[in-house]
Amino acid sequence: MYHVMVNRERVDLENWIAQLRKGALEFAVMLLLQDGKKYGLELVQTLEKIPGLIVTEGTIYPLLNRLKEEGWLTTEWVESNAGPPRKYYRLTPQGRQRLEAMIQHWQEFSSSLNDLIESKVRV
Amino acid sequence: MKAFTPHAQKILDDYLQRLTQALQPLPEPDRQEIFREIQSHIYERLEQNEKILLESEDVLEVLYRLGEPSSYISLYLTDAYLQKGFERRSPGLLLKGILRWMGSSALSYLYSFPFFVLYFVSLLLFTFGTAKALFPNNFGIYAHQLTEEGEARPTKPGHVRFALSFGFKFSTEESEVSEELKHEILGYWLAPIGIIGGMMLGIGATALLRWMTRRLLAKRYGF
């Protein structure tokens, strides 16, 4: 009985993390593109260092494609001396504008949540 | 350039084959572009391995981290259908998108079924209205009384049990149609009510579908 409950709690926690990841991955990708163009694998290898952010690498590509369709990214194929050409992604001016708004919102959001955590911890 | 053991080569070829298959439903230029991008990802990952001869487990590790093509390619499909359907207000694309959502889960069928019914009814109404407008004396919806023997006869006021039917008469001679016309439902009003009602129902269903799509998209991607 006990281990059943523990399992359910863990599944519940994983669901919550998955929900967080959905929005965070998009945010993280746009943050990484702030200082210039990057290709898919390059993004993946940086994002891998953030625990829990990437589960299957393949999902980054549909996400990048969607951001492109929304007009926030542009793409270009660049020949690589290390093998096949790479598809690079770059922020558009609209994408940069949106990212700035996202950063501002995130900072307010996370600092409010942190305040909440700290006040609860003190009590 | 790396070399592969025969088994490793087969694993890689099979994966690319599954990728090609998963890409089938997408339009041609997208298909090629996505294939090239994924292929380039696999190639570079394999290049990062220091070994010269790559074995099955080296290839499997890269492919495992990338995920099964069917799982991530379906995200392109859902996005493409839902996004384009939303912009163009196209019920067909929206329904396709919902069916693709979560890889055609039972839930997506549950969500889309009421819309198939709504569109069917709106199409039926519209067709009836148009038929009445084009052939006012030949087409109509009629009420029939159901008799004990199960025989259908035109209903009279006061009767409770009746059945509906629609019909088309090729003869417009007064004597043949007059009795049926007495019990016709809506009469000439069928034309405007059918056409306008059918259109309104179709527009309403599409608005509802778009509202639901927006909720689905929000659920998938954002806070």
Short mmCIF file of all heavy atoms in Angstrom, two decimals, chain B residues 1-36:
data_model
loop_
_atom_site.label_atom_id
_atom_site.label_comp_id
_atom_site.label_asym_id
_atom_site.label_seq_id
_atom_site.Cartn_x
_atom_site.Cartn_y
_atom_site.Cartn_z
N MET B 1 35.03 10.83 -41.42
CA MET B 1 34.02 9.83 -41.80
C MET B 1 34.20 8.57 -40.96
O MET B 1 35.29 8.03 -40.84
CB MET B 1 34.17 9.53 -43.31
CG MET B 1 32.98 8.83 -43.92
SD MET B 1 31.48 9.84 -43.86
CE MET B 1 30.25 8.57 -44.04
N LYS B 2 33.10 8.12 -40.37
CA LYS B 2 33.15 6.95 -39.49
C LYS B 2 32.80 5.69 -40.27
O LYS B 2 32.11 5.71 -41.27
CB LYS B 2 32.14 7.12 -38.36
CG LYS B 2 32.43 8.29 -37.46
CD LYS B 2 33.51 7.96 -36.46
CE LYS B 2 33.76 9.18 -35.58
NZ LYS B 2 34.90 8.98 -34.69
N ALA B 3 33.28 4.57 -39.73
CA ALA B 3 32.88 3.27 -40.29
C ALA B 3 31.94 2.59 -39.29
O ALA B 3 32.00 2.87 -38.10
CB ALA B 3 34.11 2.41 -40.53
N PHE B 4 31.07 1.74 -39.81
CA PHE B 4 30.11 1.06 -38.95
C PHE B 4 30.25 -0.44 -39.08
O PHE B 4 30.57 -0.95 -40.15
CB PHE B 4 28.67 1.43 -39.37
CG PHE B 4 28.36 2.89 -39.27
CD1 PHE B 4 28.51 3.72 -40.38
CD2 PHE B 4 27.91 3.42 -38.08
CE1 PHE B 4 28.22 5.06 -40.29
CE2 PHE B 4 27.61 4.77 -37.98
CZ PHE B 4 27.77 5.60 -39.09
N THR B 5 29.97 -1.14 -38.00
CA THR B 5 29.83 -2.59 -38.11
C THR B 5 28.54 -2.85 -38.89
O THR B 5 27.66 -1.98 -38.89
CB THR B 5 29.74 -3.27 -36.73
OG1 THR B 5 28.55 -2.82 -36.10
CG2 THR B 5 30.94 -2.95 -35.87
N PRO B 6 28.41 -4.01 -39.56
CA PRO B 6 27.19 -4.25 -40.36
C PRO B 6 25.91 -4.07 -39.54
O PRO B 6 24.94 -3.50 -40.02
CB PRO B 6 27.36 -5.70 -40.82
CG PRO B 6 28.82 -5.98 -40.75
CD PRO B 6 29.37 -5.11 -39.66
N HIS B 7 25.92 -4.55 -38.29
CA HIS B 7 24.73 -4.44 -37.46
C HIS B 7 24.42 -2.99 -37.13
O HIS B 7 23.27 -2.55 -37.17
CB HIS B 7 24.89 -5.28 -36.19
CG HIS B 7 23.60 -5.47 -35.46
ND1 HIS B 7 23.49 -5.32 -34.09
CD2 HIS B 7 22.36 -5.75 -35.92
CE1 HIS B 7 22.24 -5.52 -33.74
NE2 HIS B 7 21.52 -5.78 -34.82
N ALA B 8 25.47 -2.22 -36.82
CA ALA B 8 25.28 -0.80 -36.51
C ALA B 8 24.72 -0.06 -37.71
O ALA B 8 23.83 0.78 -37.59
CB ALA B 8 26.61 -0.19 -36.08
N GLN B 9 25.23 -0.40 -38.89
CA GLN B 9 24.77 0.22 -40.13
C GLN B 9 23.28 -0.08 -40.35
O GLN B 9 22.50 0.79 -40.73
CB GLN B 9 25.59 -0.32 -41.31
CG GLN B 9 25.23 0.31 -42.66
CD GLN B 9 25.66 1.75 -42.75
OE1 GLN B 9 26.84 2.08 -42.54
NE2 GLN B 9 24.72 2.64 -43.04
N LYS B 10 22.89 -1.32 -40.05
CA LYS B 10 21.49 -1.72 -40.24
C LYS B 10 20.57 -0.96 -39.28
O LYS B 10 19.49 -0.50 -39.67
CB LYS B 10 21.34 -3.23 -40.02
CG LYS B 10 19.91 -3.69 -40.31
CD LYS B 10 19.77 -5.17 -40.43
CE LYS B 10 18.32 -5.64 -40.49
NZ LYS B 10 17.32 -4.66 -40.80
N ILE B 11 21.01 -0.78 -38.03
CA ILE B 11 20.22 -0.04 -37.05
C ILE B 11 19.99 1.40 -37.53
O ILE B 11 18.87 1.92 -37.48
CB ILE B 11 20.92 -0.05 -35.66
CG1 ILE B 11 20.88 -1.46 -35.07
CG2 ILE B 11 20.27 0.94 -34.71
CD1 ILE B 11 21.75 -1.65 -33.85
N LEU B 12 21.06 1.99 -38.05
CA LEU B 12 20.97 3.36 -38.54
C LEU B 12 20.04 3.46 -39.76
O LEU B 12 19.18 4.35 -39.83
CB LEU B 12 22.38 3.87 -38.90
CG LEU B 12 22.49 5.31 -39.38
CD1 LEU B 12 21.96 6.27 -38.32
CD2 LEU B 12 23.94 5.65 -39.71
N ASP B 13 20.21 2.53 -40.70
CA ASP B 13 19.37 2.53 -41.90
C ASP B 13 17.89 2.35 -41.54
O ASP B 13 17.02 3.02 -42.10
CB ASP B 13 19.79 1.41 -42.86
CG ASP B 13 21.15 1.70 -43.50
OD1 ASP B 13 21.59 2.87 -43.41
OD2 ASP B 13 21.75 0.78 -44.07
N ASP B 14 17.63 1.42 -40.60
CA ASP B 14 16.24 1.18 -40.17
C ASP B 14 15.64 2.44 -39.56
O ASP B 14 14.47 2.75 -39.79
CB ASP B 14 16.18 0.04 -39.14
CG ASP B 14 16.37 -1.32 -39.80
OD1 ASP B 14 16.41 -1.37 -41.05
OD2 ASP B 14 16.49 -2.32 -39.07
N TYR B 15 16.45 3.15 -38.78
CA TYR B 15 15.95 4.37 -38.14
C TYR B 15 15.58 5.41 -39.20
O TYR B 15 14.51 6.02 -39.15
CB TYR B 15 17.01 4.94 -37.19
CG TYR B 15 16.51 6.14 -36.40
CD1 TYR B 15 15.90 5.97 -35.16
CD2 TYR B 15 16.64 7.43 -36.90
CE1 TYR B 15 15.43 7.05 -34.43
CE2 TYR B 15 16.17 8.52 -36.18
CZ TYR B 15 15.58 8.33 -34.95
OH TYR B 15 15.11 9.40 -34.25
N LEU B 16 16.48 5.59 -40.18
CA LEU B 16 16.22 6.57 -41.24
C LEU B 16 14.98 6.17 -42.06
O LEU B 16 14.22 7.03 -42.52
CB LEU B 16 17.44 6.74 -42.13
CG LEU B 16 18.66 7.37 -41.44
CD1 LEU B 16 19.85 7.43 -42.37
CD2 LEU B 16 18.33 8.78 -40.92
N GLN B 17 14.80 4.86 -42.20
CA GLN B 17 13.62 4.35 -42.89
C GLN B 17 12.34 4.73 -42.12
O GLN B 17 11.36 5.20 -42.70
CB GLN B 17 13.75 2.82 -42.99
CG GLN B 17 12.63 2.11 -43.73
CD GLN B 17 12.67 2.42 -45.21
OE1 GLN B 17 13.74 2.50 -45.80
NE2 GLN B 17 11.50 2.62 -45.81
N ARG B 18 12.39 4.56 -40.80
CA ARG B 18 11.23 4.91 -39.96
C ARG B 18 11.00 6.41 -39.99
O ARG B 18 9.86 6.87 -39.95
CB ARG B 18 11.43 4.41 -38.52
CG ARG B 18 11.39 2.91 -38.36
CD ARG B 18 11.05 2.49 -36.94
NE ARG B 18 12.03 2.93 -35.95
CZ ARG B 18 13.22 2.34 -35.76
NH1 ARG B 18 13.56 1.29 -36.48
NH2 ARG B 18 14.05 2.79 -34.84
N LEU B 19 12.09 7.17 -40.08
CA LEU B 19 11.96 8.63 -40.16
C LEU B 19 11.25 9.02 -41.46
O LEU B 19 10.34 9.84 -41.46
CB LEU B 19 13.36 9.27 -40.09
CG LEU B 19 13.43 10.79 -40.23
CD1 LEU B 19 12.65 11.49 -39.11
CD2 LEU B 19 14.88 11.27 -40.21
N THR B 20 11.67 8.41 -42.57
CA THR B 20 11.04 8.68 -43.87
C THR B 20 9.55 8.37 -43.80
O THR B 20 8.72 9.14 -44.30
CB THR B 20 11.69 7.81 -44.96
OG1 THR B 20 13.10 7.99 -44.89
CG2 THR B 20 11.20 8.18 -46.34
N GLN B 21 9.22 7.24 -43.16
CA GLN B 21 7.82 6.83 -43.06
C GLN B 21 7.01 7.83 -42.23
O GLN B 21 5.91 8.22 -42.61
CB GLN B 21 7.73 5.46 -42.39
CG GLN B 21 7.07 4.43 -43.28
CD GLN B 21 7.54 3.04 -42.92
OE1 GLN B 21 7.80 2.75 -41.75
NE2 GLN B 21 7.65 2.18 -43.92
N ALA B 22 7.59 8.26 -41.09
CA ALA B 22 6.88 9.19 -40.21
C ALA B 22 6.64 10.52 -40.91
O ALA B 22 5.68 11.22 -40.62
CB ALA B 22 7.68 9.40 -38.92
N LEU B 23 7.53 10.87 -41.86
CA LEU B 23 7.43 12.16 -42.54
C LEU B 23 6.41 12.14 -43.69
O LEU B 23 6.07 13.20 -44.22
CB LEU B 23 8.81 12.57 -43.09
CG LEU B 23 9.82 13.06 -42.06
CD1 LEU B 23 11.20 13.14 -42.67
CD2 LEU B 23 9.41 14.41 -41.50
N GLN B 24 5.94 10.96 -44.08
CA GLN B 24 5.03 10.83 -45.23
C GLN B 24 3.87 11.84 -45.25
O GLN B 24 3.62 12.43 -46.30
CB GLN B 24 4.47 9.40 -45.31
CG GLN B 24 5.42 8.37 -45.92
CD GLN B 24 5.94 8.77 -47.28
OE1 GLN B 24 5.17 9.18 -48.14
NE2 GLN B 24 7.24 8.69 -47.46
N PRO B 25 3.15 12.03 -44.13
CA PRO B 25 1.98 12.91 -44.22
C PRO B 25 2.32 14.40 -44.44
O PRO B 25 1.43 15.17 -44.72
CB PRO B 25 1.29 12.73 -42.86
CG PRO B 25 1.92 11.54 -42.24
CD PRO B 25 3.29 11.43 -42.81
N LEU B 26 3.59 14.78 -44.30
CA LEU B 26 3.95 16.20 -44.45
C LEU B 26 4.16 16.57 -45.91
O LEU B 26 4.52 15.72 -46.72
CB LEU B 26 5.22 16.49 -43.66
CG LEU B 26 5.06 16.58 -42.15
CD1 LEU B 26 6.38 16.39 -41.45
CD2 LEU B 26 4.46 17.93 -41.75
N PRO B 27 3.97 17.85 -46.28
CA PRO B 27 4.23 18.26 -47.65
C PRO B 27 5.71 18.15 -48.02
O PRO B 27 6.59 18.23 -47.16
CB PRO B 27 3.77 19.72 -47.67
CG PRO B 27 3.69 20.15 -46.26
CD PRO B 27 3.45 18.93 -45.44
N GLU B 28 5.98 17.97 -49.30
CA GLU B 28 7.31 17.62 -49.80
C GLU B 28 8.47 18.51 -49.32
O GLU B 28 9.44 17.97 -48.77
CB GLU B 28 7.29 17.52 -51.34
CG GLU B 28 8.62 17.11 -51.96
CD GLU B 28 9.27 15.92 -51.29
OE1 GLU B 28 8.63 14.86 -51.20
OE2 GLU B 28 10.42 16.05 -50.83
N PRO B 29 8.41 19.84 -49.47
CA PRO B 29 9.61 20.60 -49.07
C PRO B 29 9.91 20.45 -47.58
O PRO B 29 11.08 20.34 -47.21
CB PRO B 29 9.24 22.06 -49.40
CG PRO B 29 7.78 22.07 -49.63
CD PRO B 29 7.36 20.70 -50.02
N ASP B 30 8.88 20.39 -46.73
CA ASP B 30 9.09 20.23 -45.29
C ASP B 30 9.73 18.89 -44.99
O ASP B 30 10.64 18.77 -44.18
CB ASP B 30 7.75 20.27 -44.53
CG ASP B 30 7.08 21.63 -44.63
OD1 ASP B 30 7.73 22.56 -45.15
OD2 ASP B 30 5.93 21.75 -44.21
N ARG B 31 9.24 17.87 -45.70
CA ARG B 31 9.70 16.51 -45.49
C ARG B 31 11.22 16.43 -45.67
O ARG B 31 11.94 15.92 -44.85
CB ARG B 31 9.02 15.63 -46.55
CG ARG B 31 8.57 14.30 -46.04
CD ARG B 31 8.10 13.43 -47.17
NE ARG B 31 6.85 13.89 -47.75
CZ ARG B 31 6.32 13.35 -48.85
NH1 ARG B 31 6.94 12.38 -49.48
NH2 ARG B 31 5.19 13.79 -49.32
N GLN B 32 11.68 17.00 -46.80
CA GLN B 32 13.10 16.94 -47.12
C GLN B 32 13.94 17.73 -46.12
O GLN B 32 14.99 17.28 -45.69
CB GLN B 32 13.31 17.53 -48.51
CG GLN B 32 13.93 16.56 -49.46
CD GLN B 32 13.98 17.15 -50.84
OE1 GLN B 32 14.32 18.32 -51.02
NE2 GLN B 32 13.60 16.36 -51.83
N GLU B 33 13.43 18.90 -45.76
CA GLU B 33 14.16 19.77 -44.85
C GLU B 33 14.31 19.13 -43.47
O GLU B 33 15.40 19.15 -42.89
CB GLU B 33 13.43 21.12 -44.75
CG GLU B 33 14.08 22.06 -43.79
CD GLU B 33 14.25 23.45 -44.36
OE1 GLU B 33 13.84 23.67 -45.52
OE2 GLU B 33 14.78 24.30 -43.64
N ILE B 34 13.24 18.55 -42.96
CA ILE B 34 13.29 17.91 -41.64
C ILE B 34 14.24 16.71 -41.68
O ILE B 34 15.06 16.51 -40.79
CB ILE B 34 11.89 17.50 -41.16
CG1 ILE B 34 11.00 18.74 -40.98
CG2 ILE B 34 11.95 16.73 -39.85
CD1 ILE B 34 9.51 18.45 -40.86
N PHE B 35 14.14 15.93 -42.75
CA PHE B 35 15.01 14.76 -42.90
C PHE B 35 16.48 15.18 -42.85
O PHE B 35 17.29 14.60 -42.13
CB PHE B 35 14.70 14.02 -44.21
CG PHE B 35 15.43 12.71 -44.33
CD1 PHE B 35 14.88 11.54 -43.82
CD2 PHE B 35 16.68 12.64 -44.95
CE1 PHE B 35 15.54 10.32 -43.92
CE2 PHE B 35 17.36 11.43 -45.04
CZ PHE B 35 16.79 10.27 -44.54
N ARG B 36 16.81 16.20 -43.61
CA ARG B 36 18.21 16.67 -43.66
C ARG B 36 18.69 17.15 -42.29
O ARG B 36 19.82 16.91 -41.89
CB ARG B 36 18.35 17.83 -44.67
CG ARG B 36 18.51 17.35 -46.10
CD ARG B 36 18.45 18.53 -47.05
NE ARG B 36 19.60 19.43 -46.93
CZ ARG B 36 19.60 20.70 -47.36
NH1 ARG B 36 18.51 21.19 -47.93
NH2 ARG B 36 20.66 21.45 -47.23
#
